[in-house]
Amino acid sequence: MNNQDWQKLKQSANGIPTNESLIPYVLNAVKDGEIVTNRVIRKRVIDTLQIPDSILMIKYPNYPDSDGILVNRFSFAISSLYIAGLIERPRRGVYKITDSGLSILNKYGDTLTKKILEELPAFKKYKQELAIRNERTGNKLSITEIDQEKVDIESLVTNQNNEIAIELLNKVRQVNPSFFESLVVDLLVSMGYSGKNGDAKITNRSNDGGIDGIINQDPLGTSTVYIQAKRYMEGNTVGRPAIQSFYGALAGVNADRGVFITTSNFSGGAQEFAKNQGIVLIDGIKLTELMMQYGVGIEVAKVYRQFRIDNDYFENEL
C-alpha cells in the first residue's frame, strides 16, 4: 500500500473513512493467505492507517450502544469483497483471500475501488439476484449502491436480509443431495404441511422412483404431499422434461399433489406444464425466502424496536 495515512482516505461529512476507501486495505490485510477473523482484519487496517481512537468511538446518534460507524463500514467493505469473490468465508466469522483477490490486489493496490469490484462477474451476478429479491420484497433501495446512513432502517434491514438470502442459497447449493432432501422436508414441516398428527420422511434413494420425500398430512395418509428436490448449481435450469418425469412418478403412486423444489430456476416450458398439472414449483430464490420466513437454516442476529405514539391511550384524557 502506497498510502498509510487514514486522513488521505475519502471521508464522509463526519470525518470517518468511507466504505469504499477501506476496500483495498481490507483486502491487503488478508494478502498473506491465512484465515483471519474480521476483528483481526480491522486491527491490521487500523494499525496500517493509524486511525485514532477518536474516530473509532464515533457512534450513530440513534444507536449509542452500537459498535460504531467505522466498524460498520468495515463490515460493508468486507461484504463487498466477499460478493466480488475476492475473499472467501471458510466458516462463520473468518475470511481468506482468493486467487482472484490476490490478482486484483497486485493489479490495483490502493487504487482499488467499488466501481472496479462491480465490474467483476461475481459482483454483477450478485446484483442481478439482489435486484430480483428486492423487487419481490418491494424494497426499492439497494444499500450496495448508496450510503447506508441515508437509508431508513426498514429498507436497510430488508436489503441486508436479501443479502443474507443470497449467501444462504449459495450455501444450500454446496450441501450434499441427501442433506438437501432433508432440508426441504424440514422446511415443509416448518410450514405446517405435515398437519397436527402427520409425519414426513425421505424416501430410499436407491428406489425413490423420482420422489425424494413424502409428507402425510394425517395419520391415515389420506392426504399426502410428494416432493422432488434437485440441488442444482446456478444456471442449470430445470426444464419441462424433468417436470414431466416427476408427473409420471406422481401418477405411479396415484398422487395428485406434488412439490418440485430446486436451488436453480425453471424454464418457461417447465412452468407451463407444472401449472397445467397442479405441480407447485419452488425455485432457489423462493426456497431461501421460505427458509428465512420459517426459520430453517438461519437464526435471528439482532432485534430492533421502533416506537410510535399510542394515540388511543391519549383519547381517554379528561
Side-chain angles (χ1 to χ4, degrees):
M1 296 285 106
N2 295 324
N3 173 52
Q4 295 187 348
D5 182 359
W6 73 274
Q7 297 183 79
K8 294 182 180 180
L9 301 182
K10 182 179 179 181
Q11 302 170 15
S12 56
N14 52 15
I16 302 175
T18 63
N19 306 331
E20 181 176 14
S21 69
L22 295 171
I23 286 174
Y25 298 93
V26 169
L27 189 58
N28 186 67
V30 295
K31 67 179 180 181
D32 293 337
E34 74 272 38
I35 298 175
V36 294
T37 64
N38 53 12
R39 185 183 296 273
V40 169
I41 292 173
R42 290 199 306 268
K43 185 178 186 309
R44 289 180 178 179
V45 176
I46 290 168
D47 290 345
T48 296
L49 295 170
Q50 301 178 59
I51 302 175
D53 290 343
S54 58
I55 295 298
L56 296 173
M57 295 300 293
I58 300 176
K59 307 293 184 71
Y60 290 108
N62 295 331
Y63 300 97
D65 297 326
S66 67
D67 293 328
I69 297 176
L70 186 62
V71 171
N72 182 261
R73 291 183 176 179
F74 269 112
S75 297
F76 274 86
I78 291 172
S79 177
S80 294
L81 289 166
Y82 176 77
I83 290 167
L86 302 189
I87 58 175
E88 60 185 2
R89 188 178 293 138
R91 58 184 184 276
R92 182 178 179 179
V94 296
Y95 301 89
K96 183 177 184 294
I97 197 169
T98 63
D99 291 340
S100 297
L102 192 58
S103 176
I104 290 292
L105 181 63
N106 290 334
K107 181 177 181 179
Y108 293 101
D110 54 16
T111 66
L112 180 62
T113 64
K114 182 72 171 296
K115 185 175 181 180
I116 293 172
L117 297 188
E118 291 176 343
E119 293 301 316
L120 298 176
F123 207 105
K124 287 183 176 180
K125 186 190 305 179
Y126 172 88
K127 289 184 71 175
Q128 290 172 353
E129 183 173 333
L130 182 59
I132 293 173
R133 290 183 182 273
N134 278 333
E135 182 179 1
R136 289 191 181 187
T137 54
N139 188 35
K140 298 180 180 179
L141 297 175
S142 174
I143 312 306
T144 61
E145 299 173 352
I146 57 181
D147 188 340
Q148 70 271 22
E149 291 184 66
K150 300 177 181 178
V151 181
D152 65 90
I153 293 299
E154 185 174 355
S155 294
L156 176 61
V157 171
T158 298
N159 190 88
Q160 289 184 334
N161 283 343
N162 286 337
E163 291 180 342
I164 293 297
I166 293 175
E167 185 175 347
L168 178 62
L169 181 54
N170 289 333
K171 192 170 188 66
V172 171
R173 284 174 175 151
Q174 295 169 11
V175 303
N176 65 60
S178 296
F179 185 91
F180 180 61
E181 292 171 3
S182 297
L183 183 155
V184 298
V185 169
D186 288 343
L187 173 60
L188 292 176
V189 169
S190 297
M191 293 172 66
Y193 273 86
S194 62
K196 184 176 180 180
N197 297 308
D199 61 56
K201 64 179 180 180
I202 303 298
T203 58
N204 189 322
R205 291 186 58 82
S206 63
N207 189 32
D208 62 20
I211 294 174
D212 299 320
I214 301 174
I215 295 179
N216 291 315
Q217 297 184 288
D218 63 88
L220 297 179
T222 60
S223 182
T224 304
V225 178
Y226 293 88
I227 308 162
Q228 184 161 123
K230 293 299 180 184
R231 182 192 57 83
Y232 286 162
M233 298 306 292
E234 184 179 10
N236 191 358
T237 301
V238 177
R240 183 185 181 109
I243 308 302
Q244 290 176 321
S245 178
F246 181 46
Y247 177 72
L250 293 175
V253 292
N254 296 317
D256 59 357
R257 306 181 71 188
V259 180
F260 195 115
I261 302 177
T262 183
T263 50
S264 60
N265 50 33
F266 299 95
S267 69
Q271 294 178 51
E272 180 183 5
F273 182 83
K275 182 179 180 180
N276 293 334
Q277 305 303 330
I279 296 173
V280 176
L281 301 182
I282 299 178
D283 63 13
I285 291 180
K286 184 63 177 178
L287 169 63
T288 46
E289 286 177 349
L290 292 171
M291 288 178 67
M292 295 186 71
Q293 181 180 349
Y294 291 94
V296 176
I298 56 101
E299 59 185 3
V300 176
K302 290 184 178 180
V303 176
Y304 297 94
R305 294 196 299 168
Q306 184 175 11
F307 296 97
R308 66 182 179 184
I309 301 297
D310 182 0
N311 290 313
D312 291 339
Y313 174 84
F314 288 97
E315 286 184 1
N316 295 322
E317 181 185 9
L318 297 179

